[in-house]
């Protein structure tokens, strides 16, 4: 496998891991994943793992099962890697689905992720995640205040 293909796969796994962690309600895990990154959403910019974890805990509603009862579906992913510079950028769509007892499965938000990555110590990591939500449904069971999922 070429370095570029390997890098693309590693970056795709980071993007997928973020979605898994959000849906599991593992905000500490997201803090680790974005430890050295900047997160930009509708609530402004937040930098560093601890601040990102705190922002998610303050914003995302966690239900009795310990999760937000969401499913973040990421699609239309495009990854551009500069192997020499050790940098990469990715664009993808995100659709957030939610279901609860008494709340049927429904999309609650849709938009785009714009991500930047750097290779540090031989591993790819997030440098920036910009969340651009374009469509918003009923987020009253998902967010305490308006912010990117």
């Amino acid at each position: 496998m070429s370095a570029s293909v390997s890098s693309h796969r590693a970056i795709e796994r980071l993007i997928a891991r973020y979605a898994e962690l959000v849906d599991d309600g593992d905000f500490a895990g997201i803090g680790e994943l974005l430890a050295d990154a900047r997160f930009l959403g509708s609530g402004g910019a937040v930098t560093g793992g601890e601040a990102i974890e705190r922002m998610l805990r303050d914003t995302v509603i966690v239900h009795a099962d310990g999760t937000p009862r969401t499913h973040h579906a990421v699609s239309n992913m495009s990854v551009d890697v500069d192997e020499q510079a050790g940098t990469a950028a990715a664009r993808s769509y995100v659709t957030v689905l939610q279901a609860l007892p008494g709340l049927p499965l429904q999309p609650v938000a849709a938009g785009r992720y714009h991500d930047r990555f750097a290779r540090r110590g031989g591993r790819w990591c997030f440098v920036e995640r910009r969340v651009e939500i374009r469509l918003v449904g009923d987020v009253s069971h998902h967010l305490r205040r308006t912010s990117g999922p």
Side-chain angles (χ1 to χ4, degrees):
M1 181 181 301
S2 76
S4 182
V5 171
S6 176
S7 292
H8 278 79
R9 299 300 295 164
I11 290 164
E12 289 170 356
R13 283 192 297 274
L14 288 170
I15 293 168
R17 186 67 181 138
Y18 174 89
E20 292 170 349
L21 291 168
V22 171
D23 293 337
D24 288 345
D26 186 353
F27 304 138
I30 295 170
E32 290 175 24
L33 185 69
L34 301 176
D36 298 317
R38 184 166 78 144
F39 183 100
L40 297 99
S42 62
V46 180
T47 301
E50 288 181 17
I52 293 168
E53 177 184 350
R54 186 172 40 257
M55 179 270 304
L56 290 169
R57 288 189 190 284
D58 291 346
T59 305
V60 178
I61 297 169
V62 175
H63 297 278
D65 68 352
T67 76
R69 303 282 303 163
T70 56
H71 176 91
H72 285 64
V74 181
S75 63
N76 298 11
M77 194 178 310
S78 175
V79 178
D80 298 307
V81 176
D82 183 336
E83 290 291 350
Q84 285 190 327
T87 61
R91 299 177 318 279
S92 54
Y93 283 18
V94 60
T95 303
V96 183
L97 304 164
Q98 187 176 41
L100 291 156
L103 180 73
L105 178 64
Q106 59 185 288
V108 296
R112 294 184 180 174
Y113 291 145
H114 300 271
D115 299 316
R116 289 189 310 114
F117 302 88
R119 190 171 42 229
R120 295 182 177 147
R123 299 181 69 168
W124 286 100
C125 60
F126 275 96
V127 173
E128 183 176 272
R129 164 147 281 191
R130 186 165 35 101
V131 180
E132 181 183 299
I133 297 301
R134 295 182 169 192
L135 304 171
V136 179
D138 180 0
V139 294
S140 64
H141 300 282
H142 179 45
L143 301 175
R144 289 190 178 85
R145 60 179 186 229
T146 304
S147 181

